[in-house]
Amino acid sequence: MDVPTWSHRHLLDVDGLSRDELDTVMTLAERMSRARAMRKPLDLLHGRQLTTLFYEASTRTRVSFEVAARALGAEVVTVGVSFSSVTKGESLVDTVRTLEALGTDVLVLRHSRSGAPYLAARHATGSVVNAGDGWHAHPTQALLDLFTLRMRLPGGSLVGRRIVIVGDLLRSRVARSNVWTLTAAGARVVLCAPRALLGGFEAWAAALPADRHLHVTDDLAEALEGADAVMALRIQRERDAGSALPSVAEYVAGFGLSTARLQAAKPEVLVMHPGPVNEGVEVTTEVASAAGSLILEQVANGVPVRMAVLALLAGRS
Amino acid sequence: MDVPTWSHRHLLDVDGLSRDELDTVMTLAERMSRARAMRKPLDLLHGRQLTTLFYEASTRTRVSFEVAARALGAEVVTVGVSFSSVTKGESLVDTVRTLEALGTDVLVLRHSRSGAPYLAARHATGSVVNAGDGWHAHPTQALLDLFTLRMRLPGGSLVGRRIVIVGDLLRSRVARSNVWTLTAAGARVVLCAPRALLGGFEAWAAALPADRHLHVTDDLAEALEGADAVMALRIQRERDAGSALPSVAEYVAGFGLSTARLQAAKPEVLVMHPGPVNEGVEVTTEVASAAGSLILEQVANGVPVRMAVLALLAGRS
Amino acid sequence: MDVPTWSHRHLLDVDGLSRDELDTVMTLAERMSRARAMRKPLDLLHGRQLTTLFYEASTRTRVSFEVAARALGAEVVTVGVSFSSVTKGESLVDTVRTLEALGTDVLVLRHSRSGAPYLAARHATGSVVNAGDGWHAHPTQALLDLFTLRMRLPGGSLVGRRIVIVGDLLRSRVARSNVWTLTAAGARVVLCAPRALLGGFEAWAAALPADRHLHVTDDLAEALEGADAVMALRIQRERDAGSALPSVAEYVAGFGLSTARLQAAKPEVLVMHPGPVNEGVEVTTEVASAAGSLILEQVANGVPVRMAVLALLAGRS
């Protein structure tokens, strides 16, 4: 398989990707998806070693990267917190250098501290892929969300589409990365959350160039009006200390997605969620399992999208 | 290698397997065992993805499935509780769907709740293999026990053989699954435990059809009389809250297997244990290491038996 | 690749290796290093199964063995404490037998109890490699340290070289194994630690044959005088109960390696550390990142050295 040229060594966030680069990822991911469906063997990462270094527990993201890497012929090394010298207090920088000395070419890092992958990248000689850092960014999630929307929106374009992101925006790396890719793809993005969480996003919306459309509201009914797609964010109960969020019951009352509420959106509205879903909280079970729900497609698309990212990084000029 | 036709999509318990089906598994497992001994490469699961999803710690069962799957050319994904989003409270059903979206064709599930694999199977599009669920069932353990007995009983048949299962029956998924396969194979099965644990088993014995032989007793001497094989169950100290079992000392005095006690059995009596053994409790060290002890053969046979199961599920019509 | 004959079934410590055998390992490790640099595929362990059984957390040693084994074509099984039946209290001997019954040919064992790998080896039918046992030994670390010094000392020989090992000698398996290999290679080894930790080492030095050079001191300035290389040991804070060590501040004052202190050594002095480094404690950040620091080379050399060890064990006569 022929891989287009790529100029970035790392994937730390999506804010630095141009529209052309996003298109490159999307087009390559489509080809990866087809190759995978045809069980066509690929060896673009043959002889390369990819290590997943996860300081936070994860099933879907870790497995997705590992499946993607193996599908390209890479050797995969798994380092989880419970296995690692992290318990000995080894620093992130030392761990990065150690793993590279052991042969790692691509390091996939998840960390609870925002910015940790940037620190890792500064000391790495190979590539670093951010698999989620604190509240900051989750670039491959944003790319797979973009891919999923392109696949499912009629015409395959996001231009002018109204896409709502609703939930605990403040602590959401998924939302932050999606704002970049969705607005870059021409969508009209609406962020919706309790007012107390919206401050920074209003400033962000105001600062964007005129060709990027970002709107902020604390009124879900207004947000959903005519929406083409709605992305519900996970309530991170496990990161809940000192939260500005209301109680779960209040959250559901104000921001939970139900079939009734989705009446305000377009009839064919698409529903997304980065998972794991708290059914009955962010979305009702009915919404999660409705025809327009793309939740499992997002998971499935994660593999070819990550294959595309890994192939681009491995073949960079 | 030619694999016989098979009509089941899952392996959740052994109660639904006919005698012919048990024979099919046994015969294929013998062929797998020979192929493995000859280090003959097999690719019956090439291009397939098997995931072990273990909500309870295990070495032997998890590794056995993974070795079996790789021996058939499958890609193996390991998801253990310490690694997974289980800590985020993701539901079993969501985890199953997520893993399938990531490419899993066969899900091998261990769970502390009886029935969990049935729930998983109801929502799975691929195959689910029960690797042990609570007190309920451990089908591949029963199959490898059957295989081990066929290999070691003179004539290779269990018909009319007296096989004793002794220990904490109430909480034993191994015992429950073994009752089905051993009686189906024509053995005369004797269950032996403290009286307080026997109630349900007496009812079960009474309800069996006339061609299945199940006897229940709290007298170990009586149980062992003329036995061809004895299977000791593990005392599950880690699941011991509110146990009806006596103290360890009382248990050893009443139900521990010693050389002296085994005098009542046939001279060539075989001794089995699903492991891990608490030596000096369920069996003495002398018994565990005697010539008739099949404990390590059971472990070794687990690989070809699981290879057979996986090959049948993968090639089902 | 042609592998020299080898007569040992296990690698439990380095004290039993002759100078010729050390040379054999070193020469083969050099060839492995070149083959790896040329990404030359090797299949010396094809069809073999290697299991890492780690009762203590580790990143570098576990991953190093796994990368080495896969580079030789072996199947790798990972058993960590958090995954295993260790939590069920299964004995080490039973675990060894179980893993061998599951197909393991080479067992790589790390254990907090000194001597555990000897126990494992006594009951194993295949090979056991000690990946660190308590305070006792870490043979592959000593071999990779020897390899690293041969690569970097002018002329490639340790004969007559002054090599200082400084730190918590009492609890250091790395120091104990290095004393054997470094003195066997002809180096003049100087052990340096607080006086309270030195007793056993003075007796050891006195008992060595005349052609082995081991000197013991509690004076770092004296130890470093004219040194060719200095190996700092890790302060094992996590094993610190009842330590005879002074406080961290006192330790740094007396035994921490700084650029100023290293003035006493040769100008081109080499600095080593088995990792993970507590920067600012055993060595300053300046020393750790200076040109003479071999810390990452040690990690990188671990892979070809372990490849050599595994190839020798697998091909033993």
Side-chain angles (χ1 to χ4, degrees), chain C residues 12-83:
Chain C
L12 303 177
D13 196 0
V14 284
D15 54 353
L17 298 184
S18 68
R19 289 174 195 211
D20 278 356
E21 287 172 333
L22 289 174
D23 277 340
T24 298
V25 177
M26 294 299 113
T27 308
L28 186 55
E30 275 177 58
R31 290 163 60 204
M32 293 294 180
S33 182
R34 281 195 300 272
R36 196 164 150 74
M38 294 159 59
R39 296 180 182 265
K40 199 173 145 186
L42 297 170
D43 61 356
L44 294 165
L45 264 72
H46 179 74
R48 307 290 183 100
Q49 193 181 98
L50 176 140
T51 297
T52 53
L53 174 62
F54 274 55
Y55 289 82
E56 287 187 335
S58 165
T59 302
R60 72 191 66 208
T61 305
R62 176 184 68 84
V63 172
S64 182
F65 270 108
E66 295 184 2
V67 169
R70 284 200 210 101
L72 295 171
E75 179 190 356
V76 171
V77 171
T78 304
V79 180
V81 280
S82 63
F83 257 143

Side-chain angles (χ1 to χ4, degrees), chain C residues 149-169:
Chain C
L149 283 166
R150 284 168 54 120
M151 287 286 119
R152 292 295 298 263
L153 282 171
S157 165
L158 277 74
V159 175
R161 297 295 188 174
R162 184 175 177 92
I163 299 173
V164 180
I165 305 179
V166 57
D168 184 2
L169 292 168

Side-chain angles (χ1 to χ4, degrees), chain C:
Chain C
M1 186 183 281
D2 214 47
V3 174
T5 56
W6 190 252
S7 60
H8 304 281
R9 179 149 67 95
H10 308 294
L11 179 66
L12 303 177
D13 196 0
V14 284
D15 54 353
L17 298 184
S18 68
R19 289 174 195 211
D20 278 356
E21 287 172 333
L22 289 174
D23 277 340
T24 298
V25 177
M26 294 299 113
T27 308
L28 186 55
E30 275 177 58
R31 290 163 60 204
M32 293 294 180
S33 182
R34 281 195 300 272
R36 196 164 150 74
M38 294 159 59
R39 296 180 182 265
K40 199 173 145 186
L42 297 170
D43 61 356
L44 294 165
L45 264 72
H46 179 74
R48 307 290 183 100
Q49 193 181 98
L50 176 140
T51 297
T52 53
L53 174 62
F54 274 55
Y55 289 82
E56 287 187 335
S58 165
T59 302
R60 72 191 66 208
T61 305
R62 176 184 68 84
V63 172
S64 182
F65 270 108
E66 295 184 2
V67 169
R70 284 200 210 101
L72 295 171
E75 179 190 356
V76 171
V77 171
T78 304
V79 180
V81 280
S82 63
F83 257 143
S84 79
S85 293
V86 170
T87 53
K88 290 191 188 176
E90 183 171 29
S91 78
L92 174 62
V93 172
D94 281 348
T95 303
V96 169
R97 287 173 173 154
T98 296
L99 291 170
E100 290 199 327
L102 290 167
T104 294
D105 299 293
V106 181
L107 186 74
V108 177
L109 174 64
R110 168 162 292 190
H111 204 287
S112 58
R113 298 229 187 118
S114 300
Y118 291 79
L119 179 66
R122 209 149 54 231
H123 295 275
T125 57
S127 294
V128 174
V129 177
N130 181 1
D133 63 324
W135 300 2
H136 170 252
H138 195 346
T140 56
Q141 178 73 41
L143 292 171
L144 73 87
D145 287 339
L146 179 59
F147 183 84
T148 304
L149 283 166
R150 284 168 54 120
M151 287 286 119
R152 292 295 298 263
L153 282 171
S157 165
L158 277 74
V159 175
R161 297 295 188 174
R162 184 175 177 92
I163 299 173
V164 180
I165 305 179
V166 57
D168 184 2
L169 292 168
L170 188 63
R171 293 182 287 182
S172 176
R173 54 196 178 208
V174 173
R176 282 181 182 78
S177 287
N178 261 299
V179 165
W180 289 112
T181 46
L182 298 179
T183 59
R188 310 182 72 83
V189 177
V190 182
L191 300 178
C192 182
R195 176 121 312 261
L197 305 179
L198 287 178
F201 294 93
E202 283 169 339
W204 191 8
L208 281 179
D211 65 337
R212 300 233 180 184
H213 307 288
L214 182 62
H215 179 69
V216 174
T217 177
D218 66 349
D219 179 345
L220 183 59
E222 180 208 325
L224 292 176
E225 196 64 44
D228 295 278
V230 193
M231 194 179 291
L233 302 174
R234 179 175 167 78
I235 298 298
Q236 300 282 11
R237 288 176 187 162
E238 69 275 18
R239 303 184 201 154
D240 232 6
S243 168
L245 275 185
S247 72
V248 168
E250 288 172 308
Y251 183 85
V252 172
F255 300 94
L257 294 180
S258 63
T259 307
R261 279 226 164 101
L262 286 171
Q263 300 294 331
K266 288 206 179 140
E268 65 280 14
V269 64
L270 303 170
V271 175
M272 304 171 79
H273 191 296
V277 177
N278 296 303
E279 282 190 18
V281 182
E282 304 103 345
V283 298
T284 62
T285 299
E286 191 185 19
V287 168
S289 51
S293 168
L294 306 183
I295 298 172
L296 286 175
E297 283 177 44
Q298 291 171 272
V299 177
N301 289 334
V303 176
V305 167
R306 290 179 174 114
M307 288 170 74
V309 166
L310 296 176
L312 289 168
L313 293 177
R316 74 182 183 280
S317 51

Side-chain angles (χ1 to χ4, degrees), chain A residues 19 37 44 46 48 51 64 71 73-74 79 81 110 119 128 160 175 200 211 216 218 221 246 251 258 315:
Chain A
R19 289 175 195 208
L44 294 165
H46 179 74
R48 306 289 183 103
T51 296
S64 182
V79 180
V81 279
R110 168 164 292 191
L119 178 65
V128 174
D211 64 338
V216 174
D218 65 350
Y251 183 85
S258 63

Side-chain angles (χ1 to χ4, degrees), chain A:
Chain A
M1 186 182 281
D2 215 48
V3 175
T5 55
W6 190 252
S7 61
H8 304 282
R9 180 148 67 95
H10 308 294
L11 179 66
L12 303 176
D13 197 0
V14 284
D15 53 353
L17 297 185
S18 69
R19 289 175 195 208
D20 278 356
E21 287 171 332
L22 289 174
D23 277 339
T24 298
V25 177
M26 294 298 114
T27 307
L28 185 55
E30 276 177 57
R31 290 163 60 205
M32 293 293 180
S33 182
R34 281 195 301 271
R36 197 166 149 74
M38 295 161 58
R39 295 178 181 269
K40 198 173 146 187
L42 298 170
D43 60 356
L44 294 165
L45 263 72
H46 179 74
R48 306 289 183 103
Q49 194 181 99
L50 176 140
T51 296
T52 53
L53 174 62
F54 274 54
Y55 289 82
E56 286 188 337
S58 163
T59 301
R60 73 192 65 210
T61 306
R62 178 185 65 86
V63 173
S64 182
F65 270 108
E66 295 184 3
V67 168
R70 284 200 211 100
L72 295 172
E75 179 190 356
V76 171
V77 171
T78 305
V79 180
V81 279
S82 63
F83 257 142
S84 79
S85 292
V86 170
T87 53
K88 290 191 187 176
E90 183 171 29
S91 78
L92 174 62
V93 171
D94 281 348
T95 301
V96 169
R97 286 172 173 155
T98 296
L99 291 170
E100 290 199 327
L102 290 167
T104 295
D105 300 292
V106 180
L107 187 74
V108 177
L109 175 63
R110 168 164 292 191
H111 204 287
S112 57
R113 299 230 186 117
S114 301
Y118 291 79
L119 178 65
R122 208 149 54 231
H123 295 275
T125 57
S127 293
V128 174
V129 177
N130 181 1
D133 64 325
W135 301 1
H136 171 251
H138 195 346
T140 57
Q141 179 72 41
L143 292 171
L144 73 87
D145 288 339
L146 179 60
F147 183 83
T148 303
L149 283 166
R150 284 168 54 119
M151 288 286 119
R152 291 296 300 263
L153 283 171
S157 165
L158 278 74
V159 175
R161 296 296 189 174
R162 183 173 176 91
I163 299 174
V164 180
I165 305 178
V166 57
D168 183 3
L169 292 167
L170 188 62
R171 292 182 289 182
S172 178
R173 54 196 176 207
V174 173
R176 282 182 181 77
S177 287
N178 261 299
V179 165
W180 289 112
T181 46
L182 298 179
T183 57
R188 310 184 73 83
V189 177
V190 182
L191 300 178
C192 181
R195 175 122 314 263
L197 305 179
L198 287 178
F201 295 93
E202 283 169 339
W204 191 7
L208 280 179
D211 64 338
R212 299 231 180 186
H213 307 286
L214 181 63
H215 180 68
V216 174
T217 177
D218 65 350
D219 179 346
L220 183 58
E222 180 208 326
L224 291 176
E225 196 65 43
D228 295 277
V230 193
M231 194 179 291
L233 302 173
R234 177 175 169 77
I235 298 298
Q236 301 280 12
R237 288 176 186 164
E238 67 276 17
R239 304 186 201 151
D240 232 6
S243 170
L245 275 184
S247 73
V248 168
E250 288 173 307
Y251 183 85
V252 173
F255 300 94
L257 294 180
S258 63
T259 308
R261 280 225 166 101
L262 287 170
Q263 300 293 332
K266 290 209 179 136
E268 66 280 13
V269 64
L270 303 171
V271 175
M272 304 172 80
H273 191 295
V277 177
N278 296 303
E279 281 190 18
V281 182
E282 303 102 344
V283 298
T284 62
T285 298
E286 193 186 18
V287 168
S289 49
S293 167
L294 306 184
I295 298 173
L296 286 175
E297 282 176 46
Q298 291 171 273
V299 176
N301 289 336
V303 176
V305 167
R306 289 178 175 115
M307 288 170 74
V309 166
L310 296 176
L312 288 168
L313 293 177
R316 74 181 183 279
S317 52

